[in-house]
Amino acid sequence: MPVDPMQPGPSAEELFARALAVTPGGVHSPVRALAAVGGRPFFTRRAQGAFLEDSDGRRLLDFCMAFGPLVLGHAHPQVAAAASSALADGWSYGTAEPYSLELAEFIAARLPWAESIRFVNSGTEAVMSALRLARGITGRERLLKFEGCYHGHADAMLIRAGSGLAGSGVADSAGVPAAVAADTVVAPLDDVAALEDCFARHGPRLAAAIIEPLPANHGLLPQRPEFLQRLRELCSCHGSLLIFDEVISGFRVGFGGMAAATGIRPDLVTWGKIIGGGFPVGAFAGPRELMARLAPLGRVYQAGTLSANPLAMRAGLATLQLLESGDIHRQLEALGARLEARVHALGLHFARVGSLFWLPGGQARPGVLRSAAQGDAGLGTRYALLFRRLLDAGIYLPPSPMEIGFLSAAHTAADIDHLGDALAAADAERD
């Protein structure tokens, strides 16, 4: 039976027991199991603004925001209105439709490196398709990725990845063929000498280098512009395509993402999350001459029954229209600065870029962490304790020490102060 959000329902314990009987681990994405923080999943039945409400009736201040897409908060009225209108017009056509055209035109008119856009259903699918396109264009097979960067669960990318794999300490997934893994070259972040050596050895065979220009799946690891610029130069020199994976950072660090923030133009860019307003979506984009190698114009095949779903297209356009002026990004920056000041006053480790933040627990460390190798062996235990204490206080942080937090336009200064107070209380209790 459908869940009535206004009536008491089964408890989280009851729901989890039922889920275990029909779903691997009781969840549909591993991090939702809360195993990395020593807990069990709770079941959200509704969300509004900056808050979740779970099946036990708890109201939780949400700093996970569905892992990033809800830059405006839960159930924003304008996005909800766009989705409701789309529902009234039918929610899947299997034909060309005007709504993806409107969204593509809106983006392409504002981002010069995205002349041509293909919509898909997830960030993983966007990355998978962009990599295939790069191989089709160059005629090469090898790919370069960076240690600690997560690009979805396509086979070739599940090698020294971040996200849930980072949290569990598992470098590779079972089921990835050795031959596939052999064509993926891995380099460390923030190491120009290693990068140059990698291209010296593999450059003529590299179809593409893919990177999160703001790595955000192994903690938050801001990269020096010089490192990203050198990667751009080496790709150009060796005829390899540079792919920016902006599934997380796209439209969140600013309307133009990290490509605009750094002034470095990728050959291809992948998006997800915000671009669909919180509905399932992905996209990849680039210059017309590269994207023209895709079917039906070219020989690189890509297709999807639900690609450019009209609900996601209309919700995404409503979201991006609200973001275009930059007012919301300035609001988020102010909230982020307020949170940063509170956390620094407590002497806790903290990293932030705009509305993305990483709060792993533990005392502040000197310098900026820029690579997975700089991680802390005691991070998991400390963060698990912090997560549970804040959850008891009605605050939901990302349920993994390697996942980052997100601010939204629905958060207020009072919400930031509430988080700061809860952190202070948790830190005092630890002492």
Side-chain angles (χ1 to χ4, degrees):
M1 295 179 62
V3 175
D4 181 351
M6 304 306 295
Q7 298 296 326
S11 68
E13 185 176 350
E14 292 172 313
L15 292 170
F16 188 45
R18 287 166 50 189
L20 285 171
V22 292
T23 303
V27 293
H28 297 283
S29 188
V31 73
R32 299 178 195 176
L34 273 60
V37 289
R40 283 194 164 197
F42 63 85
F43 287 72
T44 299
R45 61 180 185 176
R46 66 188 304 271
Q48 184 71 47
F51 291 87
L52 302 171
E53 183 183 312
D54 74 3
S55 57
D56 294 324
R58 288 185 304 175
R59 192 165 182 257
L60 300 172
L61 180 57
D62 183 12
F63 287 102
C64 186
M65 284 289 144
F67 298 97
L70 302 176
V71 67
L72 303 176
H74 293 282
H76 188 278
Q78 287 177 246
V79 180
S84 295
S85 178
L87 277 172
D89 293 334
W91 45 88
S92 191
Y93 305 141
T95 71
E97 32 62 46
Y99 309 113
S100 59
L101 171 59
E102 291 174 15
L103 181 54
E105 286 179 334
F106 187 86
I107 295 169
R110 291 156 179 81
L111 304 182
W113 56 91
E115 292 180 327
S116 183
I117 302 169
R118 175 66 63 86
F119 291 108
V120 292
N121 296 296
S122 69
T124 291
E125 192 177 335
V127 166
M128 181 180 70
S129 302
L131 293 174
R132 182 183 300 158
L133 177 59
R135 282 169 158 160
I137 290 169
T138 63
R140 303 173 181 177
E141 294 186 354
R142 288 196 176 175
L143 305 167
L144 170 63
K145 74 176 295 288
F146 291 85
E147 186 174 0
C149 286
Y150 179 71
H151 304 290
H153 58 88
D155 282 357
M157 295 293 100
L158 285 180
I159 300 167
R160 298 193 203 173
S163 192
L165 287 175
S168 67
V170 178
D172 303 307
S173 170
V176 176
V180 172
D183 281 332
T184 300
V185 178
V186 182
L189 289 166
D190 193 44
D191 188 333
V192 171
L195 181 65
E196 291 176 341
D197 179 66
C198 179
F199 271 92
R201 289 185 290 117
H202 302 284
R205 290 172 287 179
L206 287 177
I210 184 168
I211 189 170
E212 292 179 271
L214 178 61
N217 279 288
H218 204 292
L220 192 62
L221 304 172
Q223 296 301 290
R224 293 177 296 114
E226 297 83 1
F227 178 76
L228 295 173
Q229 183 59 48
R230 187 57 180 147
L231 175 60
R232 171 68 280 179
E233 293 167 355
L234 288 166
C235 284
S236 298
C237 178
H238 288 271
S240 307
L241 299 190
L242 174 60
I243 303 173
F244 271 8
D245 180 347
E246 297 229 44
V247 168
I248 289 178
S249 58
F251 307 101
R252 181 168 272 282
V253 299
F255 191 89
M258 288 300 293
T262 61
I264 298 171
R265 184 172 294 193
D267 297 301
L268 298 172
V269 60
T270 64
W271 290 309
K273 298 185 185 287
I274 286 174
I275 200 174
F279 285 83
V281 75
F284 60 109
R288 267 185 217 93
E289 63 268 25
L290 297 185
M291 297 294 286
R293 301 291 289 273
L294 285 169
L297 298 177
R299 295 189 61 249
V300 179
Y301 192 73
Q302 183 279 324
T305 298
L306 296 177
S307 294
N309 179 267
L311 271 73
M313 299 296 97
R314 292 165 77 167
L317 180 59
T319 300
L320 297 194
Q321 286 172 336
L322 289 167
L323 295 178
E324 181 188 9
S325 70
D327 289 345
I328 287 174
H329 290 108
R330 286 185 284 273
Q331 173 189 346
L332 292 173
E333 173 60 29
L335 288 173
R338 187 183 188 98
L339 176 58
E340 187 168 359
R342 288 295 307 266
V343 176
H344 280 172
L346 295 171
L348 298 176
H349 183 65
F350 187 77
R352 181 182 71 89
V353 177
S355 61
L356 299 86
F357 68 90
W358 186 34
L359 182 62
Q363 296 304 301
R365 298 175 54 179
V368 177
L369 269 63
R370 302 191 190 277
S371 74
Q374 296 174 314
D376 184 341
L379 171 61
T381 301
R382 287 198 311 272
Y383 184 78
L385 182 59
L386 176 67
F387 175 90
R388 294 194 300 269
R389 284 176 173 166
L390 264 64
L391 191 64
D392 289 342
I395 295 173
Y396 178 52
L397 292 179
S400 165
M402 293 301 183
E403 297 285 356
I404 63 169
F406 297 91
L407 302 176
S408 78
H411 287 109
T412 66
D415 295 331
I416 299 301
D417 292 342
H418 180 39
L419 174 57
D421 292 342
L423 287 169
D427 194 49
E429 186 178 344
R430 179 178 63 87
D431 294 338

